[in-house]
Amino acid sequence: MRSFFLLVLFSLLLFSKDTVEVFSGEITSTKDHFHATGGVILLYDGALLKAKEATYDKSESLLRLYGGVEMIRRDENKVFSETLEINTTNKKIDFEKLLLTTADNLWIDAKEADRDKDIYKIKNSRLSSCNQKNPDWKIEFEEAVYHKDKNYMTLSDAKLSFFDTPIFYFPYLAFPTINTRTTGLLFPSTQFSTEEGLVYQQPFFYAPTENFDMEFNPQIRTKRGLGIHVTTRFIDSNSSQGKFKLGYFKNFDSYSNSNHFNPEHYGAEFLYRSTNFLPKSDFLDKYQQGLYTNITYLNDLEYLNLQKDSASSLISTNLVESRVNAFLYDEKDYLGIYARYNIDTSKRSNHGTIQEIPALQYHSFMKYLLSDKLFYTFDARVHNYTRTKGSRAFQTEFDLPITYYDSFFNDYLDLSLTENLYLSDVFFSNLQQKGEDYRFYRNFHTLEISSDLSKQYNSNVHTIHPSVVYTKPSFEREKPFEYKDLHAEQKELFVTQTELENFSLGLSQYYYDSELDLNLFHRMGMINYPHSDLPQGDINNEFGYTQDNFNFYSNLFYSLDKKKLHSLTTTVGYTKSDYDIMMTHFYNYDLILDKEATSFLHTSLTHTFNQHNQWYANTDLDLSNSFNHQWNIGWIHRQKCWGAKLNFGQEQIPNVDTSFKNTSLYFEISLNPLGAISRNIEQDFSRQGNR
């Protein structure tokens, strides 16, 4: 029997450069062998190993541990095994009845496994993140390779089971073992429609650095064609980030001919935003700045629609807009430059589409003039309306409101007088018909009398703001012609801003509780145009109330001239810890076109009946046309190791003469931390249904 101190010295000679420290209740040793029992702890090669028993054989260079073996390394996963064998020459490790756990609670158990440096080879195993004794889900596989240094695992012949019922088979599966951005295959998505057949998408995620990644999303539609979208995301500074996407899809000839589609759909998108895009300087650093870019180029709308998951997401508008906005401002001034480019997909050529490239704006915030009771703001804009073919216009606008403000009767009465000056110059070019440039002057006066009153009731506060506003045009000049006399090609380039004489009354009031939370607000107003075809205008009444779990909102517009309700929005909601109920009604009547009123009712119900399960249902009713626009019901399950979502619904999408029905069944299973598997089954998008 040797003491622990002598054993450590003996170990240094035994392993040459390697050192093993053994803590044990009982140790016997010879020159080429030792045997430790009685609760063994070993420190070897940067790892802590625990076992009931350990032996070492120098002739074979094998360190063996038996009985409840644990191996722990700093910042690494924990390994449990029935037996463990380490070759101290090449550092290869063999396991019997292995249990491996990761930082995200993913565990793997296997009958046999080995480790060579940072690569585990595991056979006849299973993995899950649920309770090990009786897991809700598990993936069983014949063979796996776990790259410990890359936190990455590949499986062969894998079978996913839920509650011991197989539901998916994967010939090959690869995934990260930690919940961070990692290069690899993402879970595929499938969809089925009678028009396009089976839709299968298999994304691949490439993340070489923390601030850059790419997602490759090839897809095949068995009755239509195949294509790919590639999305690149990047963060180039602490204050800026962007995304660039390219896409291409090739239709089968039979599908293009039968549906009158282009043979190919392609496009590109670029989105970029920054809050600090200008170079550093003492002058520019004093200003807040921003840059927003959203650019889309495509040959038709199908480039975008091929990225959508459901019929309700399909884009129907023919105009696709791209924007670039940049601005610079401080508390005194604002400077902006904008560009807007439109693609009209309904036309064969985009040469005649009007573009605004660029537009400039300068705005001067409120500044005092002579005294603190007289102030002004100033706004100047430049617009360049252009196109490849057709008329063009260059417009400059100047807007200068000068306001006098004062209060009387101990601040109970507020008075403001405003002179509003406006000038617009429009210079035309490339006109097909002879025409002259256009200039428009306008001036109007505004008088406002108002008051701000506040009173406290115990710990609650009530405020009220009555106001009277009168607007009177002073002069309005147009030359050399009135706007109505311009050619049609001139008027389509711009509109002129006019002001009618009007008189309005307003009343706003707010009620706050002791915590200064807004419990009730009420805003009411009416406007009168004495020289208009509809002189009496609308009455607007807006009301909101919130108390405990109940909230109510209403916004009403009533036409005094037509003696009809113009529009009404009403929302009622009730929220508790396990219930969320909401009902919203929209009503609108177009007084100018005198068309049939539209009326919609939206209802939603969510019931959380325990910490893991939630039911929901919602519907949209078109009351004016007496049909159910959309309805769906669903179930959501969430727990630590997995989640699921099941949704069944139908939507009816109006068209010019008929409507399109679309029924869908969607289900999703998320396996933590692996990701989600989803399926969306839809009826033929083009199936026509009766209203």
PDB file of all heavy atoms in Angstrom, residues 223-235:
ATOM      1  N   LYS A 223     -45.025  20.493 -59.913  1.00  0.00           N
ATOM      2  CA  LYS A 223     -45.839  20.734 -61.092  1.00  0.00           C
ATOM      3  C   LYS A 223     -45.522  22.070 -61.768  1.00  0.00           C
ATOM      4  O   LYS A 223     -46.149  22.411 -62.762  1.00  0.00           O
ATOM      5  CB  LYS A 223     -47.326  20.708 -60.721  1.00  0.00           C
ATOM      6  CG  LYS A 223     -47.849  19.339 -60.328  1.00  0.00           C
ATOM      7  CD  LYS A 223     -49.354  19.394 -60.110  1.00  0.00           C
ATOM      8  CE  LYS A 223     -49.921  18.033 -59.740  1.00  0.00           C
ATOM      9  NZ  LYS A 223     -51.400  18.081 -59.550  1.00  0.00           N
ATOM     10  N   ARG A 224     -44.567  22.813 -61.195  1.00  0.00           N
ATOM     11  CA  ARG A 224     -44.330  24.163 -61.710  1.00  0.00           C
ATOM     12  C   ARG A 224     -42.902  24.404 -62.163  1.00  0.00           C
ATOM     13  O   ARG A 224     -42.660  24.900 -63.255  1.00  0.00           O
ATOM     14  CB  ARG A 224     -44.725  25.198 -60.660  1.00  0.00           C
ATOM     15  CG  ARG A 224     -44.461  26.612 -61.110  1.00  0.00           C
ATOM     16  CD  ARG A 224     -45.025  27.646 -60.175  1.00  0.00           C
ATOM     17  NE  ARG A 224     -44.741  28.977 -60.663  1.00  0.00           N
ATOM     18  CZ  ARG A 224     -45.171  30.104 -60.098  1.00  0.00           C
ATOM     19  NH1 ARG A 224     -45.930  30.052 -59.012  1.00  0.00           N
ATOM     20  NH2 ARG A 224     -44.857  31.278 -60.613  1.00  0.00           N
ATOM     21  N   GLY A 225     -41.922  24.130 -61.312  1.00  0.00           N
ATOM     22  CA  GLY A 225     -40.550  24.431 -61.674  1.00  0.00           C
ATOM     23  C   GLY A 225     -39.657  24.426 -60.450  1.00  0.00           C
ATOM     24  O   GLY A 225     -40.010  23.882 -59.397  1.00  0.00           O
ATOM     25  N   LEU A 226     -38.489  25.046 -60.593  1.00  0.00           N
ATOM     26  CA  LEU A 226     -37.544  25.074 -59.474  1.00  0.00           C
ATOM     27  C   LEU A 226     -36.758  26.378 -59.507  1.00  0.00           C
ATOM     28  O   LEU A 226     -36.666  27.053 -60.531  1.00  0.00           O
ATOM     29  CB  LEU A 226     -36.614  23.864 -59.508  1.00  0.00           C
ATOM     30  CG  LEU A 226     -35.918  23.522 -60.834  1.00  0.00           C
ATOM     31  CD1 LEU A 226     -34.622  24.272 -60.987  1.00  0.00           C
ATOM     32  CD2 LEU A 226     -35.667  22.037 -60.902  1.00  0.00           C
ATOM     33  N   GLY A 227     -36.181  26.720 -58.334  1.00  0.00           N
ATOM     34  CA  GLY A 227     -35.434  27.969 -58.223  1.00  0.00           C
ATOM     35  C   GLY A 227     -34.708  28.062 -56.905  1.00  0.00           C
ATOM     36  O   GLY A 227     -34.668  27.101 -56.114  1.00  0.00           O
ATOM     37  N   ILE A 228     -34.143  29.233 -56.640  1.00  0.00           N
ATOM     38  CA  ILE A 228     -33.382  29.442 -55.405  1.00  0.00           C
ATOM     39  C   ILE A 228     -33.422  30.920 -55.035  1.00  0.00           C
ATOM     40  O   ILE A 228     -33.460  31.795 -55.909  1.00  0.00           O
ATOM     41  CB  ILE A 228     -31.922  28.968 -55.568  1.00  0.00           C
ATOM     42  CG1 ILE A 228     -31.167  29.063 -54.239  1.00  0.00           C
ATOM     43  CG2 ILE A 228     -31.215  29.749 -56.665  1.00  0.00           C
ATOM     44  CD1 ILE A 228     -29.782  28.455 -54.284  1.00  0.00           C
ATOM     45  N   HIS A 229     -33.444  31.190 -53.720  1.00  0.00           N
ATOM     46  CA  HIS A 229     -33.277  32.532 -53.177  1.00  0.00           C
ATOM     47  C   HIS A 229     -32.074  32.506 -52.236  1.00  0.00           C
ATOM     48  O   HIS A 229     -31.918  31.559 -51.445  1.00  0.00           O
ATOM     49  CB  HIS A 229     -34.521  32.984 -52.411  1.00  0.00           C
ATOM     50  CG  HIS A 229     -35.680  33.304 -53.302  1.00  0.00           C
ATOM     51  ND1 HIS A 229     -36.547  32.337 -53.768  1.00  0.00           N
ATOM     52  CD2 HIS A 229     -36.124  34.489 -53.820  1.00  0.00           C
ATOM     53  CE1 HIS A 229     -37.468  32.905 -54.533  1.00  0.00           C
ATOM     54  NE2 HIS A 229     -37.238  34.205 -54.574  1.00  0.00           N
ATOM     55  N   VAL A 230     -31.250  33.520 -52.320  1.00  0.00           N
ATOM     56  CA  VAL A 230     -30.066  33.624 -51.472  1.00  0.00           C
ATOM     57  C   VAL A 230     -30.135  34.943 -50.715  1.00  0.00           C
ATOM     58  O   VAL A 230     -30.234  36.013 -51.317  1.00  0.00           O
ATOM     59  CB  VAL A 230     -28.766  33.561 -52.298  1.00  0.00           C
ATOM     60  CG1 VAL A 230     -27.556  33.663 -51.376  1.00  0.00           C
ATOM     61  CG2 VAL A 230     -28.715  32.281 -53.124  1.00  0.00           C
ATOM     62  N   THR A 231     -30.090  34.864 -49.383  1.00  0.00           N
ATOM     63  CA  THR A 231     -30.176  36.042 -48.527  1.00  0.00           C
ATOM     64  C   THR A 231     -28.862  36.232 -47.783  1.00  0.00           C
ATOM     65  O   THR A 231     -28.378  35.304 -47.117  1.00  0.00           O
ATOM     66  CB  THR A 231     -31.319  35.911 -47.511  1.00  0.00           C
ATOM     67  OG1 THR A 231     -32.546  35.679 -48.201  1.00  0.00           O
ATOM     68  CG2 THR A 231     -31.448  37.179 -46.672  1.00  0.00           C
ATOM     69  N   THR A 232     -28.287  37.414 -47.895  1.00  0.00           N
ATOM     70  CA  THR A 232     -27.049  37.753 -47.196  1.00  0.00           C
ATOM     71  C   THR A 232     -27.349  38.839 -46.168  1.00  0.00           C
ATOM     72  O   THR A 232     -27.904  39.883 -46.504  1.00  0.00           O
ATOM     73  CB  THR A 232     -25.983  38.264 -48.176  1.00  0.00           C
ATOM     74  OG1 THR A 232     -25.735  37.262 -49.165  1.00  0.00           O
ATOM     75  CG2 THR A 232     -24.690  38.595 -47.451  1.00  0.00           C
ATOM     76  N   ARG A 233     -27.003  38.581 -44.919  1.00  0.00           N
ATOM     77  CA  ARG A 233     -27.206  39.549 -43.839  1.00  0.00           C
ATOM     78  C   ARG A 233     -25.855  39.946 -43.256  1.00  0.00           C
ATOM     79  O   ARG A 233     -24.977  39.092 -43.101  1.00  0.00           O
ATOM     80  CB  ARG A 233     -28.104  38.946 -42.747  1.00  0.00           C
ATOM     81  CG  ARG A 233     -29.551  38.783 -43.143  1.00  0.00           C
ATOM     82  CD  ARG A 233     -30.321  38.017 -42.090  1.00  0.00           C
ATOM     83  NE  ARG A 233     -29.994  36.606 -42.146  1.00  0.00           N
ATOM     84  CZ  ARG A 233     -30.764  35.682 -42.708  1.00  0.00           C
ATOM     85  NH1 ARG A 233     -31.905  36.014 -43.257  1.00  0.00           N
ATOM     86  NH2 ARG A 233     -30.397  34.416 -42.711  1.00  0.00           N
ATOM     87  N   PHE A 234     -25.716  41.212 -42.903  1.00  0.00           N
ATOM     88  CA  PHE A 234     -24.442  41.676 -42.383  1.00  0.00           C
ATOM     89  C   PHE A 234     -24.653  42.824 -41.404  1.00  0.00           C
ATOM     90  O   PHE A 234     -25.641  43.555 -41.486  1.00  0.00           O
ATOM     91  CB  PHE A 234     -23.511  42.125 -43.514  1.00  0.00           C
ATOM     92  CG  PHE A 234     -24.049  43.255 -44.343  1.00  0.00           C
ATOM     93  CD1 PHE A 234     -23.776  44.576 -44.015  1.00  0.00           C
ATOM     94  CD2 PHE A 234     -24.834  43.001 -45.457  1.00  0.00           C
ATOM     95  CE1 PHE A 234     -24.280  45.623 -44.775  1.00  0.00           C
ATOM     96  CE2 PHE A 234     -25.335  44.043 -46.233  1.00  0.00           C
ATOM     97  CZ  PHE A 234     -25.060  45.353 -45.889  1.00  0.00           C
ATOM     98  N   ILE A 235     -23.724  42.966 -40.486  1.00  0.00           N
ATOM     99  CA  ILE A 235     -23.647  44.110 -39.570  1.00  0.00           C
ATOM    100  C   ILE A 235     -22.268  44.721 -39.772  1.00  0.00           C
ATOM    101  O   ILE A 235     -21.252  44.089 -39.452  1.00  0.00           O
ATOM    102  CB  ILE A 235     -23.843  43.682 -38.105  1.00  0.00           C
ATOM    103  CG1 ILE A 235     -25.214  43.039 -37.911  1.00  0.00           C
ATOM    104  CG2 ILE A 235     -23.664  44.864 -37.166  1.00  0.00           C
ATOM    105  CD1 ILE A 235     -25.431  42.474 -36.521  1.00  0.00           C
TER     106      ILE A 235
END
